[in-house]
Amino acid sequence: GLRMDNNHEKHVVVYLGDLGRDIPHSEQTYWRTFNMPPDGEVSDTQFKRGTLGEFADPQSADLLFKQKLAGTNATWEKRFGWKLFLPLTAEDAHYLTTLRIPINDSGSEFDQQVLSLTKVVIDSLNEKEIGKALTSSIEGEKGISKFERFLGELGFVGFDDHISFLRDIQDLRSKGTAHRKGSGYPKVAAKFQLSELGSRDSFREILNRAIAIFDSLETKLGEAVRPSLNPPDKLDVGKSSI
């Protein structure tokens, strides 16, 4: 293994001493081809972890997204007894492990990451358990709509923008990745300022908006965990007011 700072805004930062100690000479020679003068400081996360010996959350949006996803899923499961986002199968696990801020502004990089995000979040919504928890069923209702209605039954408010964002991401995948880009793609791409920001910054903002959903869910679930409420194993989610 090789210790590195992958929370830096522009580069992967590695200490020369670690390069000399932890990887074989052939790999050192390869790394040398990418060597460049220091550009700013190490990230705050790296400084706190490596120098101060403190726990620190990641700063990079892709790393923080993965941490928040796992945390929200754990909190949700503790509250309701089932995961909100289903674990990926072995065949799909790479969508999460390779999810990242695009390494350049190419369209193919952006499309791949949008596909990965929808696989990890939207396609992984636990529709079966959400449907069982709803007090009624609607024929043909899909994942995001079920999720929206379930949040409404729980009494969660202020999630309209989050739901709209999920629909826009799904639309972006449908019009830009899953099929040929047609006349509808520029309109949905404009919602994410893709032309103005470029692929890297646009996707970073997309991840930040996804993180905001996790934070909102964690906040609402935290407000719900009070002694006056039934414990999770006795919770009637259809009648809960949070």
PDB file of all heavy atoms in Angstrom, residues 21-58:
ATOM      1  N   ARG A  21       9.910   4.118   0.113  1.00  0.00           N
ATOM      2  CA  ARG A  21       9.825   2.994   1.040  1.00  0.00           C
ATOM      3  C   ARG A  21       8.803   1.947   0.622  1.00  0.00           C
ATOM      4  O   ARG A  21       9.037   0.741   0.807  1.00  0.00           O
ATOM      5  CB  ARG A  21       9.458   3.518   2.433  1.00  0.00           C
ATOM      6  CG  ARG A  21       9.338   2.451   3.520  1.00  0.00           C
ATOM      7  CD  ARG A  21       8.714   3.055   4.773  1.00  0.00           C
ATOM      8  NE  ARG A  21       7.360   3.541   4.488  1.00  0.00           N
ATOM      9  CZ  ARG A  21       6.694   4.380   5.285  1.00  0.00           C
ATOM     10  NH1 ARG A  21       7.272   4.849   6.377  1.00  0.00           N
ATOM     11  NH2 ARG A  21       5.474   4.764   4.963  1.00  0.00           N
ATOM     12  N   ASP A  22       7.699   2.356   0.050  1.00  0.00           N
ATOM     13  CA  ASP A  22       6.534   1.474  -0.033  1.00  0.00           C
ATOM     14  C   ASP A  22       6.262   0.850  -1.398  1.00  0.00           C
ATOM     15  O   ASP A  22       5.380   0.000  -1.512  1.00  0.00           O
ATOM     16  CB  ASP A  22       5.274   2.236   0.409  1.00  0.00           C
ATOM     17  CG  ASP A  22       5.336   2.650   1.874  1.00  0.00           C
ATOM     18  OD1 ASP A  22       6.036   1.969   2.638  1.00  0.00           O
ATOM     19  OD2 ASP A  22       4.685   3.640   2.244  1.00  0.00           O
ATOM     20  N   ILE A  23       6.954   1.278  -2.449  1.00  0.00           N
ATOM     21  CA  ILE A  23       6.697   0.682  -3.763  1.00  0.00           C
ATOM     22  C   ILE A  23       8.034   0.294  -4.411  1.00  0.00           C
ATOM     23  O   ILE A  23       9.075   0.889  -4.106  1.00  0.00           O
ATOM     24  CB  ILE A  23       5.908   1.634  -4.690  1.00  0.00           C
ATOM     25  CG1 ILE A  23       6.674   2.936  -4.940  1.00  0.00           C
ATOM     26  CG2 ILE A  23       4.535   1.933  -4.110  1.00  0.00           C
ATOM     27  CD1 ILE A  23       5.959   3.871  -5.929  1.00  0.00           C
ATOM     28  N   PRO A  24       8.017  -0.702  -5.292  1.00  0.00           N
ATOM     29  CA  PRO A  24       9.266  -1.147  -5.922  1.00  0.00           C
ATOM     30  C   PRO A  24       9.842  -0.088  -6.850  1.00  0.00           C
ATOM     31  O   PRO A  24       9.141   0.843  -7.278  1.00  0.00           O
ATOM     32  CB  PRO A  24       8.841  -2.401  -6.689  1.00  0.00           C
ATOM     33  CG  PRO A  24       7.378  -2.250  -6.896  1.00  0.00           C
ATOM     34  CD  PRO A  24       6.863  -1.518  -5.698  1.00  0.00           C
ATOM     35  N   HIS A  25      11.106  -0.252  -7.202  1.00  0.00           N
ATOM     36  CA  HIS A  25      11.808   0.744  -8.001  1.00  0.00           C
ATOM     37  C   HIS A  25      11.132   0.971  -9.350  1.00  0.00           C
ATOM     38  O   HIS A  25      11.068   2.098  -9.861  1.00  0.00           O
ATOM     39  CB  HIS A  25      13.262   0.324  -8.211  1.00  0.00           C
ATOM     40  CG  HIS A  25      14.070   1.333  -8.984  1.00  0.00           C
ATOM     41  ND1 HIS A  25      14.260   1.235 -10.355  1.00  0.00           N
ATOM     42  CD2 HIS A  25      14.706   2.464  -8.578  1.00  0.00           C
ATOM     43  CE1 HIS A  25      14.980   2.262 -10.764  1.00  0.00           C
ATOM     44  NE2 HIS A  25      15.274   3.022  -9.709  1.00  0.00           N
ATOM     45  N   SER A  26      10.635  -0.098  -9.954  1.00  0.00           N
ATOM     46  CA  SER A  26       9.976   0.054 -11.257  1.00  0.00           C
ATOM     47  C   SER A  26       8.764   0.977 -11.162  1.00  0.00           C
ATOM     48  O   SER A  26       8.500   1.781 -12.072  1.00  0.00           O
ATOM     49  CB  SER A  26       9.552  -1.314 -11.793  1.00  0.00           C
ATOM     50  OG  SER A  26       8.643  -1.953 -10.900  1.00  0.00           O
ATOM     51  N   GLU A  27       8.034   0.887 -10.051  1.00  0.00           N
ATOM     52  CA  GLU A  27       6.890   1.773  -9.856  1.00  0.00           C
ATOM     53  C   GLU A  27       7.342   3.192  -9.523  1.00  0.00           C
ATOM     54  O   GLU A  27       6.702   4.169  -9.921  1.00  0.00           O
ATOM     55  CB  GLU A  27       5.985   1.235  -8.744  1.00  0.00           C
ATOM     56  CG  GLU A  27       5.225  -0.022  -9.123  1.00  0.00           C
ATOM     57  CD  GLU A  27       4.217   0.223 -10.235  1.00  0.00           C
ATOM     58  OE1 GLU A  27       3.679   1.352 -10.318  1.00  0.00           O
ATOM     59  OE2 GLU A  27       3.987  -0.699 -11.027  1.00  0.00           O
ATOM     60  N   GLN A  28       8.421   3.312  -8.779  1.00  0.00           N
ATOM     61  CA  GLN A  28       8.964   4.640  -8.479  1.00  0.00           C
ATOM     62  C   GLN A  28       9.320   5.370  -9.772  1.00  0.00           C
ATOM     63  O   GLN A  28       9.052   6.570  -9.916  1.00  0.00           O
ATOM     64  CB  GLN A  28      10.201   4.524  -7.587  1.00  0.00           C
ATOM     65  CG  GLN A  28       9.946   3.973  -6.204  1.00  0.00           C
ATOM     66  CD  GLN A  28      11.241   3.755  -5.447  1.00  0.00           C
ATOM     67  OE1 GLN A  28      12.260   4.363  -5.740  1.00  0.00           O
ATOM     68  NE2 GLN A  28      11.190   2.852  -4.469  1.00  0.00           N
ATOM     69  N   THR A  29       9.919   4.646 -10.702  1.00  0.00           N
ATOM     70  CA  THR A  29      10.303   5.244 -11.987  1.00  0.00           C
ATOM     71  C   THR A  29       9.070   5.725 -12.746  1.00  0.00           C
ATOM     72  O   THR A  29       9.078   6.802 -13.357  1.00  0.00           O
ATOM     73  CB  THR A  29      11.065   4.218 -12.841  1.00  0.00           C
ATOM     74  OG1 THR A  29      12.206   3.765 -12.116  1.00  0.00           O
ATOM     75  CG2 THR A  29      11.517   4.837 -14.150  1.00  0.00           C
ATOM     76  N   TYR A  30       8.010   4.935 -12.688  1.00  0.00           N
ATOM     77  CA  TYR A  30       6.765   5.330 -13.354  1.00  0.00           C
ATOM     78  C   TYR A  30       6.182   6.585 -12.705  1.00  0.00           C
ATOM     79  O   TYR A  30       5.792   7.527 -13.386  1.00  0.00           O
ATOM     80  CB  TYR A  30       5.769   4.175 -13.305  1.00  0.00           C
ATOM     81  CG  TYR A  30       4.423   4.507 -13.909  1.00  0.00           C
ATOM     82  CD1 TYR A  30       4.274   4.641 -15.287  1.00  0.00           C
ATOM     83  CD2 TYR A  30       3.309   4.686 -13.112  1.00  0.00           C
ATOM     84  CE1 TYR A  30       3.049   4.952 -15.852  1.00  0.00           C
ATOM     85  CE2 TYR A  30       2.074   4.995 -13.667  1.00  0.00           C
ATOM     86  CZ  TYR A  30       1.951   5.129 -15.039  1.00  0.00           C
ATOM     87  OH  TYR A  30       0.741   5.440 -15.589  1.00  0.00           O
ATOM     88  N   TRP A  31       6.126   6.586 -11.374  1.00  0.00           N
ATOM     89  CA  TRP A  31       5.591   7.752 -10.663  1.00  0.00           C
ATOM     90  C   TRP A  31       6.407   9.002 -10.978  1.00  0.00           C
ATOM     91  O   TRP A  31       5.865  10.109 -11.036  1.00  0.00           O
ATOM     92  CB  TRP A  31       5.577   7.489  -9.158  1.00  0.00           C
ATOM     93  CG  TRP A  31       4.348   6.774  -8.688  1.00  0.00           C
ATOM     94  CD1 TRP A  31       4.036   5.465  -8.882  1.00  0.00           C
ATOM     95  CD2 TRP A  31       3.266   7.337  -7.946  1.00  0.00           C
ATOM     96  NE1 TRP A  31       2.823   5.164  -8.315  1.00  0.00           N
ATOM     97  CE2 TRP A  31       2.324   6.294  -7.722  1.00  0.00           C
ATOM     98  CE3 TRP A  31       2.994   8.593  -7.445  1.00  0.00           C
ATOM     99  CZ2 TRP A  31       1.138   6.489  -7.030  1.00  0.00           C
ATOM    100  CZ3 TRP A  31       1.805   8.794  -6.742  1.00  0.00           C
ATOM    101  CH2 TRP A  31       0.890   7.756  -6.552  1.00  0.00           C
ATOM    102  N   ARG A  32       7.706   8.823 -11.164  1.00  0.00           N
ATOM    103  CA  ARG A  32       8.571   9.978 -11.410  1.00  0.00           C
ATOM    104  C   ARG A  32       8.161  10.732 -12.668  1.00  0.00           C
ATOM    105  O   ARG A  32       8.347  11.953 -12.761  1.00  0.00           O
ATOM    106  CB  ARG A  32      10.025   9.514 -11.520  1.00  0.00           C
ATOM    107  CG  ARG A  32      11.027  10.659 -11.646  1.00  0.00           C
ATOM    108  CD  ARG A  32      12.444  10.145 -11.707  1.00  0.00           C
ATOM    109  NE  ARG A  32      13.395  11.233 -11.815  1.00  0.00           N
ATOM    110  CZ  ARG A  32      14.702  11.065 -11.876  1.00  0.00           C
ATOM    111  NH1 ARG A  32      15.222   9.837 -11.841  1.00  0.00           N
ATOM    112  NH2 ARG A  32      15.503  12.102 -11.984  1.00  0.00           N
ATOM    113  N   THR A  33       7.600  10.032 -13.657  1.00  0.00           N
ATOM    114  CA  THR A  33       7.192  10.694 -14.892  1.00  0.00           C
ATOM    115  C   THR A  33       6.066  11.699 -14.664  1.00  0.00           C
ATOM    116  O   THR A  33       5.833  12.572 -15.507  1.00  0.00           O
ATOM    117  CB  THR A  33       6.737   9.665 -15.947  1.00  0.00           C
ATOM    118  OG1 THR A  33       5.572   8.972 -15.475  1.00  0.00           O
ATOM    119  CG2 THR A  33       7.842   8.659 -16.224  1.00  0.00           C
ATOM    120  N   PHE A  34       5.385  11.577 -13.529  1.00  0.00           N
ATOM    121  CA  PHE A  34       4.288  12.500 -13.209  1.00  0.00           C
ATOM    122  C   PHE A  34       4.689  13.537 -12.163  1.00  0.00           C
ATOM    123  O   PHE A  34       3.862  14.324 -11.721  1.00  0.00           O
ATOM    124  CB  PHE A  34       3.069  11.720 -12.688  1.00  0.00           C
ATOM    125  CG  PHE A  34       2.495  10.755 -13.688  1.00  0.00           C
ATOM    126  CD1 PHE A  34       2.847   9.415 -13.660  1.00  0.00           C
ATOM    127  CD2 PHE A  34       1.630  11.192 -14.673  1.00  0.00           C
ATOM    128  CE1 PHE A  34       2.322   8.522 -14.581  1.00  0.00           C
ATOM    129  CE2 PHE A  34       1.097  10.302 -15.601  1.00  0.00           C
ATOM    130  CZ  PHE A  34       1.443   8.969 -15.554  1.00  0.00           C
ATOM    131  N   ASN A  35       5.937  13.516 -11.750  1.00  0.00           N
ATOM    132  CA  ASN A  35       6.379  14.403 -10.680  1.00  0.00           C
ATOM    133  C   ASN A  35       6.275  15.867 -11.108  1.00  0.00           C
ATOM    134  O   ASN A  35       6.505  16.205 -12.272  1.00  0.00           O
ATOM    135  CB  ASN A  35       7.829  14.080 -10.297  1.00  0.00           C
ATOM    136  CG  ASN A  35       8.245  14.795  -9.024  1.00  0.00           C
ATOM    137  OD1 ASN A  35       7.431  15.001  -8.145  1.00  0.00           O
ATOM    138  ND2 ASN A  35       9.515  15.172  -8.955  1.00  0.00           N
ATOM    139  N   MET A  36       5.936  16.716 -10.183  1.00  0.00           N
ATOM    140  CA  MET A  36       5.828  18.141 -10.462  1.00  0.00           C
ATOM    141  C   MET A  36       6.134  18.911  -9.179  1.00  0.00           C
ATOM    142  O   MET A  36       6.042  18.358  -8.068  1.00  0.00           O
ATOM    143  CB  MET A  36       4.419  18.480 -10.955  1.00  0.00           C
ATOM    144  CG  MET A  36       3.304  18.167  -9.991  1.00  0.00           C
ATOM    145  SD  MET A  36       1.689  18.520 -10.702  1.00  0.00           S
ATOM    146  CE  MET A  36       1.839  20.276 -11.005  1.00  0.00           C
ATOM    147  N   PRO A  37       6.510  20.178  -9.299  1.00  0.00           N
ATOM    148  CA  PRO A  37       6.764  20.986  -8.093  1.00  0.00           C
ATOM    149  C   PRO A  37       5.501  21.076  -7.247  1.00  0.00           C
ATOM    150  O   PRO A  37       4.382  21.028  -7.775  1.00  0.00           O
ATOM    151  CB  PRO A  37       7.155  22.357  -8.660  1.00  0.00           C
ATOM    152  CG  PRO A  37       7.606  22.085 -10.061  1.00  0.00           C
ATOM    153  CD  PRO A  37       6.767  20.934 -10.532  1.00  0.00           C
ATOM    154  N   PRO A  38       5.642  21.189  -5.931  1.00  0.00           N
ATOM    155  CA  PRO A  38       4.469  21.312  -5.063  1.00  0.00           C
ATOM    156  C   PRO A  38       3.572  22.469  -5.491  1.00  0.00           C
ATOM    157  O   PRO A  38       4.052  23.540  -5.867  1.00  0.00           O
ATOM    158  CB  PRO A  38       5.079  21.565  -3.684  1.00  0.00           C
ATOM    159  CG  PRO A  38       6.439  20.950  -3.760  1.00  0.00           C
ATOM    160  CD  PRO A  38       6.902  21.170  -5.170  1.00  0.00           C
ATOM    161  N   ASP A  39       2.271  22.233  -5.450  1.00  0.00           N
ATOM    162  CA  ASP A  39       1.279  23.232  -5.843  1.00  0.00           C
ATOM    163  C   ASP A  39       0.372  23.470  -4.651  1.00  0.00           C
ATOM    164  O   ASP A  39      -0.646  22.804  -4.482  1.00  0.00           O
ATOM    165  CB  ASP A  39       0.502  22.731  -7.054  1.00  0.00           C
ATOM    166  CG  ASP A  39      -0.546  23.725  -7.529  1.00  0.00           C
ATOM    167  OD1 ASP A  39      -0.561  24.864  -7.030  1.00  0.00           O
ATOM    168  OD2 ASP A  39      -1.355  23.369  -8.407  1.00  0.00           O
ATOM    169  N   GLY A  40       0.730  24.398  -3.792  1.00  0.00           N
ATOM    170  CA  GLY A  40      -0.046  24.656  -2.584  1.00  0.00           C
ATOM    171  C   GLY A  40       0.323  23.685  -1.481  1.00  0.00           C
ATOM    172  O   GLY A  40       1.387  23.070  -1.481  1.00  0.00           O
ATOM    173  N   GLU A  41      -0.580  23.528  -0.523  1.00  0.00           N
ATOM    174  CA  GLU A  41      -0.353  22.672   0.636  1.00  0.00           C
ATOM    175  C   GLU A  41      -1.120  21.352   0.486  1.00  0.00           C
ATOM    176  O   GLU A  41      -1.950  21.208  -0.404  1.00  0.00           O
ATOM    177  CB  GLU A  41      -0.822  23.385   1.918  1.00  0.00           C
ATOM    178  CG  GLU A  41      -0.194  24.755   2.140  1.00  0.00           C
ATOM    179  CD  GLU A  41       1.279  24.655   2.462  1.00  0.00           C
ATOM    180  OE1 GLU A  41       1.711  23.583   2.951  1.00  0.00           O
ATOM    181  OE2 GLU A  41       2.014  25.630   2.222  1.00  0.00           O
ATOM    182  N   VAL A  42      -0.821  20.428   1.375  1.00  0.00           N
ATOM    183  CA  VAL A  42      -1.640  19.225   1.435  1.00  0.00           C
ATOM    184  C   VAL A  42      -3.038  19.608   1.911  1.00  0.00           C
ATOM    185  O   VAL A  42      -3.239  20.688   2.469  1.00  0.00           O
ATOM    186  CB  VAL A  42      -1.019  18.159   2.369  1.00  0.00           C
ATOM    187  CG1 VAL A  42       0.335  17.725   1.867  1.00  0.00           C
ATOM    188  CG2 VAL A  42      -0.918  18.682   3.802  1.00  0.00           C
ATOM    189  N   SER A  43      -3.990  18.722   1.717  1.00  0.00           N
ATOM    190  CA  SER A  43      -5.353  19.015   2.146  1.00  0.00           C
ATOM    191  C   SER A  43      -5.441  19.064   3.670  1.00  0.00           C
ATOM    192  O   SER A  43      -4.593  18.501   4.380  1.00  0.00           O
ATOM    193  CB  SER A  43      -6.314  17.951   1.611  1.00  0.00           C
ATOM    194  OG  SER A  43      -6.067  16.701   2.236  1.00  0.00           O
ATOM    195  N   ASP A  44      -6.468  19.746   4.161  1.00  0.00           N
ATOM    196  CA  ASP A  44      -6.692  19.791   5.614  1.00  0.00           C
ATOM    197  C   ASP A  44      -6.900  18.395   6.173  1.00  0.00           C
ATOM    198  O   ASP A  44      -6.467  18.083   7.286  1.00  0.00           O
ATOM    199  CB  ASP A  44      -7.913  20.664   5.935  1.00  0.00           C
ATOM    200  CG  ASP A  44      -7.637  22.145   5.713  1.00  0.00           C
ATOM    201  OD1 ASP A  44      -6.448  22.526   5.648  1.00  0.00           O
ATOM    202  OD2 ASP A  44      -8.611  22.911   5.592  1.00  0.00           O
ATOM    203  N   THR A  45      -7.573  17.540   5.392  1.00  0.00           N
ATOM    204  CA  THR A  45      -7.801  16.173   5.843  1.00  0.00           C
ATOM    205  C   THR A  45      -6.487  15.439   6.047  1.00  0.00           C
ATOM    206  O   THR A  45      -6.277  14.777   7.071  1.00  0.00           O
ATOM    207  CB  THR A  45      -8.658  15.411   4.811  1.00  0.00           C
ATOM    208  OG1 THR A  45      -9.926  16.054   4.693  1.00  0.00           O
ATOM    209  CG2 THR A  45      -8.876  13.967   5.236  1.00  0.00           C
ATOM    210  N   GLN A  46      -5.581  15.564   5.080  1.00  0.00           N
ATOM    211  CA  GLN A  46      -4.289  14.906   5.195  1.00  0.00           C
ATOM    212  C   GLN A  46      -3.485  15.447   6.372  1.00  0.00           C
ATOM    213  O   GLN A  46      -2.845  14.691   7.113  1.00  0.00           O
ATOM    214  CB  GLN A  46      -3.502  15.087   3.893  1.00  0.00           C
ATOM    215  CG  GLN A  46      -2.052  14.619   3.941  1.00  0.00           C
ATOM    216  CD  GLN A  46      -1.929  13.126   4.170  1.00  0.00           C
ATOM    217  OE1 GLN A  46      -2.870  12.382   3.901  1.00  0.00           O
ATOM    218  NE2 GLN A  46      -0.787  12.685   4.673  1.00  0.00           N
ATOM    219  N   PHE A  47      -3.524  16.758   6.572  1.00  0.00           N
ATOM    220  CA  PHE A  47      -2.764  17.363   7.675  1.00  0.00           C
ATOM    221  C   PHE A  47      -3.284  16.877   9.025  1.00  0.00           C
ATOM    222  O   PHE A  47      -2.510  16.516   9.915  1.00  0.00           O
ATOM    223  CB  PHE A  47      -2.850  18.886   7.598  1.00  0.00           C
ATOM    224  CG  PHE A  47      -2.121  19.584   8.708  1.00  0.00           C
ATOM    225  CD1 PHE A  47      -0.729  19.618   8.728  1.00  0.00           C
ATOM    226  CD2 PHE A  47      -2.823  20.195   9.742  1.00  0.00           C
ATOM    227  CE1 PHE A  47      -0.050  20.266   9.767  1.00  0.00           C
ATOM    228  CE2 PHE A  47      -2.157  20.827  10.773  1.00  0.00           C
ATOM    229  CZ  PHE A  47      -0.761  20.864  10.792  1.00  0.00           C
ATOM    230  N   LYS A  48      -4.603  16.840   9.170  1.00  0.00           N
ATOM    231  CA  LYS A  48      -5.177  16.401  10.443  1.00  0.00           C
ATOM    232  C   LYS A  48      -4.888  14.923  10.695  1.00  0.00           C
ATOM    233  O   LYS A  48      -4.546  14.538  11.810  1.00  0.00           O
ATOM    234  CB  LYS A  48      -6.686  16.656  10.447  1.00  0.00           C
ATOM    235  CG  LYS A  48      -7.058  18.122  10.530  1.00  0.00           C
ATOM    236  CD  LYS A  48      -8.571  18.321  10.476  1.00  0.00           C
ATOM    237  CE  LYS A  48      -8.938  19.796  10.549  1.00  0.00           C
ATOM    238  NZ  LYS A  48     -10.417  19.994  10.441  1.00  0.00           N
ATOM    239  N   ARG A  49      -5.042  14.103   9.652  1.00  0.00           N
ATOM    240  CA  ARG A  49      -4.829  12.662   9.832  1.00  0.00           C
ATOM    241  C   ARG A  49      -3.341  12.324   9.976  1.00  0.00           C
ATOM    242  O   ARG A  49      -2.941  11.604  10.889  1.00  0.00           O
ATOM    243  CB  ARG A  49      -5.407  11.902   8.638  1.00  0.00           C
ATOM    244  CG  ARG A  49      -6.926  11.930   8.543  1.00  0.00           C
ATOM    245  CD  ARG A  49      -7.364  11.253   7.251  1.00  0.00           C
ATOM    246  NE  ARG A  49      -8.824  11.220   7.111  1.00  0.00           N
ATOM    247  CZ  ARG A  49      -9.460  10.769   6.025  1.00  0.00           C
ATOM    248  NH1 ARG A  49      -8.747  10.327   4.995  1.00  0.00           N
ATOM    249  NH2 ARG A  49     -10.780  10.760   5.968  1.00  0.00           N
ATOM    250  N   GLY A  50      -2.533  12.837   9.052  1.00  0.00           N
ATOM    251  CA  GLY A  50      -1.146  12.419   8.991  1.00  0.00           C
ATOM    252  C   GLY A  50      -0.217  13.125   9.947  1.00  0.00           C
ATOM    253  O   GLY A  50       0.773  12.544  10.406  1.00  0.00           O
ATOM    254  N   THR A  51      -0.503  14.393  10.266  1.00  0.00           N
ATOM    255  CA  THR A  51       0.395  15.179  11.108  1.00  0.00           C
ATOM    256  C   THR A  51      -0.118  15.285  12.542  1.00  0.00           C
ATOM    257  O   THR A  51       0.638  15.088  13.501  1.00  0.00           O
ATOM    258  CB  THR A  51       0.591  16.587  10.521  1.00  0.00           C
ATOM    259  OG1 THR A  51       1.103  16.476   9.180  1.00  0.00           O
ATOM    260  CG2 THR A  51       1.572  17.393  11.359  1.00  0.00           C
ATOM    261  N   LEU A  52      -1.403  15.594  12.683  1.00  0.00           N
ATOM    262  CA  LEU A  52      -1.967  15.779  14.023  1.00  0.00           C
ATOM    263  C   LEU A  52      -2.506  14.484  14.622  1.00  0.00           C
ATOM    264  O   LEU A  52      -2.804  14.431  15.812  1.00  0.00           O
ATOM    265  CB  LEU A  52      -3.089  16.826  13.978  1.00  0.00           C
ATOM    266  CG  LEU A  52      -2.701  18.217  13.470  1.00  0.00           C
ATOM    267  CD1 LEU A  52      -3.914  19.140  13.504  1.00  0.00           C
ATOM    268  CD2 LEU A  52      -1.557  18.810  14.291  1.00  0.00           C
ATOM    269  N   GLY A  53      -2.653  13.450  13.801  1.00  0.00           N
ATOM    270  CA  GLY A  53      -3.188  12.186  14.295  1.00  0.00           C
ATOM    271  C   GLY A  53      -4.634  12.279  14.721  1.00  0.00           C
ATOM    272  O   GLY A  53      -5.065  11.602  15.658  1.00  0.00           O
ATOM    273  N   GLU A  54      -5.414  13.106  14.023  1.00  0.00           N
ATOM    274  CA  GLU A  54      -6.820  13.309  14.363  1.00  0.00           C
ATOM    275  C   GLU A  54      -7.715  12.625  13.330  1.00  0.00           C
ATOM    276  O   GLU A  54      -7.330  12.449  12.175  1.00  0.00           O
ATOM    277  CB  GLU A  54      -7.151  14.806  14.390  1.00  0.00           C
ATOM    278  CG  GLU A  54      -6.395  15.602  15.441  1.00  0.00           C
ATOM    279  CD  GLU A  54      -6.723  17.077  15.373  1.00  0.00           C
ATOM    280  OE1 GLU A  54      -7.454  17.484  14.435  1.00  0.00           O
ATOM    281  OE2 GLU A  54      -6.249  17.831  16.246  1.00  0.00           O
ATOM    282  N   PHE A  55      -8.924  12.270  13.766  1.00  0.00           N
ATOM    283  CA  PHE A  55      -9.926  11.801  12.819  1.00  0.00           C
ATOM    284  C   PHE A  55     -10.393  12.997  11.992  1.00  0.00           C
ATOM    285  O   PHE A  55     -10.577  14.095  12.525  1.00  0.00           O
ATOM    286  CB  PHE A  55     -11.110  11.170  13.536  1.00  0.00           C
ATOM    287  CG  PHE A  55     -10.785   9.865  14.205  1.00  0.00           C
ATOM    288  CD1 PHE A  55     -10.636   9.791  15.585  1.00  0.00           C
ATOM    289  CD2 PHE A  55     -10.616   8.710  13.461  1.00  0.00           C
ATOM    290  CE1 PHE A  55     -10.334   8.594  16.204  1.00  0.00           C
ATOM    291  CE2 PHE A  55     -10.317   7.506  14.073  1.00  0.00           C
ATOM    292  CZ  PHE A  55     -10.178   7.446  15.447  1.00  0.00           C
ATOM    293  N   ALA A  56     -10.605  12.783  10.713  1.00  0.00           N
ATOM    294  CA  ALA A  56     -11.052  13.870   9.844  1.00  0.00           C
ATOM    295  C   ALA A  56     -11.863  13.302   8.693  1.00  0.00           C
ATOM    296  O   ALA A  56     -11.481  12.298   8.085  1.00  0.00           O
ATOM    297  CB  ALA A  56      -9.850  14.651   9.301  1.00  0.00           C
ATOM    298  N   ASP A  57     -12.984  13.944   8.405  1.00  0.00           N
ATOM    299  CA  ASP A  57     -13.792  13.550   7.260  1.00  0.00           C
ATOM    300  C   ASP A  57     -13.071  13.914   5.974  1.00  0.00           C
ATOM    301  O   ASP A  57     -12.276  14.868   5.938  1.00  0.00           O
ATOM    302  CB  ASP A  57     -15.144  14.260   7.279  1.00  0.00           C
ATOM    303  CG  ASP A  57     -16.076  13.721   8.348  1.00  0.00           C
ATOM    304  OD1 ASP A  57     -15.886  12.561   8.757  1.00  0.00           O
ATOM    305  OD2 ASP A  57     -16.977  14.465   8.775  1.00  0.00           O
ATOM    306  N   PRO A  58     -13.328  13.186   4.899  1.00  0.00           N
ATOM    307  CA  PRO A  58     -12.733  13.565   3.614  1.00  0.00           C
ATOM    308  C   PRO A  58     -13.280  14.907   3.143  1.00  0.00           C
ATOM    309  O   PRO A  58     -14.379  15.313   3.523  1.00  0.00           O
ATOM    310  CB  PRO A  58     -13.148  12.423   2.682  1.00  0.00           C
ATOM    311  CG  PRO A  58     -14.347  11.818   3.314  1.00  0.00           C
ATOM    312  CD  PRO A  58     -14.161  11.978   4.782  1.00  0.00           C
TER     313      PRO A  58
END
